[in-house]
Amino acid sequence: MADWVNGKVTKIEHWTDSLFSITVNAPVDTFSAGQFAKLSMEIEGERVQRAYSYVNAPSDSNLEFYLVTVPEGKLSPHLHELQVGSEIQVTKEAAGFFVIDEVPECDTLWMLATGTAIGPYLSILQEGIGLERFQNIALIHAARFSQDLSYLPLMQQLQQRYNGKLHIQTVVSRENTPGSLTGRVPALIEDGSLEAAIGLKMEAENSHVMLCGNPQMVRDTQQILKDSRGMRKHLKRKPGHMTSEHYW
């Protein structure tokens, strides 16, 4: 059974009609960047809970979550209606292995995300611990429309902070946007467009690819990397080149 603590909403940011971030103050245990918590509310006498990755660094006590409203969802429409001062429950302990300590040695670390799954990467990069061993880090955020790139300003701030080590690239699938690639991540890897835009190679010899977000993107990308780059999934008992988090 999960150990729940009471949290209070301290900030809400509505990015679009369906994308929003909430910041919560709650006495949770220390977590590792990249992990997730569960949020819950009592709805019609039933506790409804869902897992969401932390966006904030573990050293930041302002617990931030990036969410999308699913119209038919049991919880997200209610979370969307929260106000500053609203109460919500959070799991005291975080969970998940989508953390830097699980990534094997490599020169270039690729962080690929769709939608709200950019969250764990932002937590990792804001914390900054354990990244010294990588020569280059490539952060890719894919969304349907440019307005959905909510955290692009933060990505740009982090790029400056890392002083040439962090390379960022946005991908938009349903419109042409200056500065962004157009299309789906797997296709952009397959035709070399993503690597050309970043200026780095995605090779089994010196790269590791983290994948988080839409399950179809994760599966398709893994298949392409397996077929065209000779990459395999990373397992504790058998080190590989791809680590994934299925966000839903």
Side-chain angles (χ1 to χ4, degrees), residues 36-221:
F36 62 86
K38 288 184 179 178
L39 303 181
S40 78
M41 296 176 66
E42 189 168 305
I43 301 168
E44 299 178 357
E46 175 191 0
R47 182 196 295 276
V48 181
Q49 57 183 293
R50 294 290 184 271
Y52 298 102
S53 290
Y54 284 109
V55 175
N56 60 291
S59 56
D60 185 349
S61 61
N62 296 304
L63 310 179
E64 186 174 354
F65 303 93
Y66 184 34
L67 298 84
V68 60
T69 304
V70 180
E72 66 277 12
K74 281 189 172 184
L75 182 60
S76 61
H78 296 275
L79 295 175
H80 191 259
E81 297 301 318
L82 290 174
Q83 305 291 322
V84 171
S86 295
E87 292 194 350
I88 189 172
Q89 291 198 301
V90 187
T91 45
K92 187 174 176 65
E93 291 186 15
F97 298 97
F98 200 65
V99 297
I100 288 300
D101 285 351
E102 296 291 326
V103 175
E105 293 300 320
C106 65
D107 293 336
T108 301
L109 177 63
W110 292 82
M111 298 175 161
L112 275 58
T114 58
T116 56
I118 190 71
Y121 299 130
L122 297 176
S123 178
I124 290 167
L125 289 165
Q126 288 184 98
E127 186 72 354
I129 294 175
L131 301 178
E132 304 82 6
R133 59 191 173 102
F134 307 112
Q135 293 181 18
N136 290 287
I137 302 170
L139 176 63
I140 318 301
H141 188 200
R144 293 179 303 167
F145 301 101
S146 59
Q147 68 173 7
D148 300 333
L149 300 169
S150 313
Y151 283 91
L152 179 56
L154 177 55
M155 291 169 62
Q156 292 169 334
Q157 290 174 23
L158 288 166
Q159 187 178 35
Q160 292 182 345
R161 170 179 154 186
Y162 280 89
N163 196 28
K165 182 174 188 170
L166 176 63
H167 310 260
I168 65 172
Q169 181 62 52
T170 53
V171 177
V172 176
S173 62
R174 300 192 182 180
E175 64 182 7
N176 292 316
T177 302
S180 294
L181 294 175
T182 305
R184 294 184 65 246
V185 168
L188 295 170
I189 292 174
E190 192 168 30
D191 69 10
S193 299
L194 182 58
E195 291 158 291
I198 290 285
L200 296 169
K201 290 292 186 181
M202 200 178 292
E203 300 171 326
E205 294 77 22
N206 56 20
S207 300
H208 193 86
V209 182
M210 298 179 77
L211 297 157
C212 189
N214 184 294
Q216 193 64 55
M217 181 280 287
V218 173
R219 286 192 295 269
D220 291 349
T221 301

Side-chain angles (χ1 to χ4, degrees), residues 13-30:
E13 185 82 49
H14 290 282
W15 304 103
T16 67
D17 289 343
S18 60
L19 289 168
F20 64 105
S21 299
I22 60 173
T23 303
V24 179
N25 182 268
V28 299
D29 291 344
T30 300

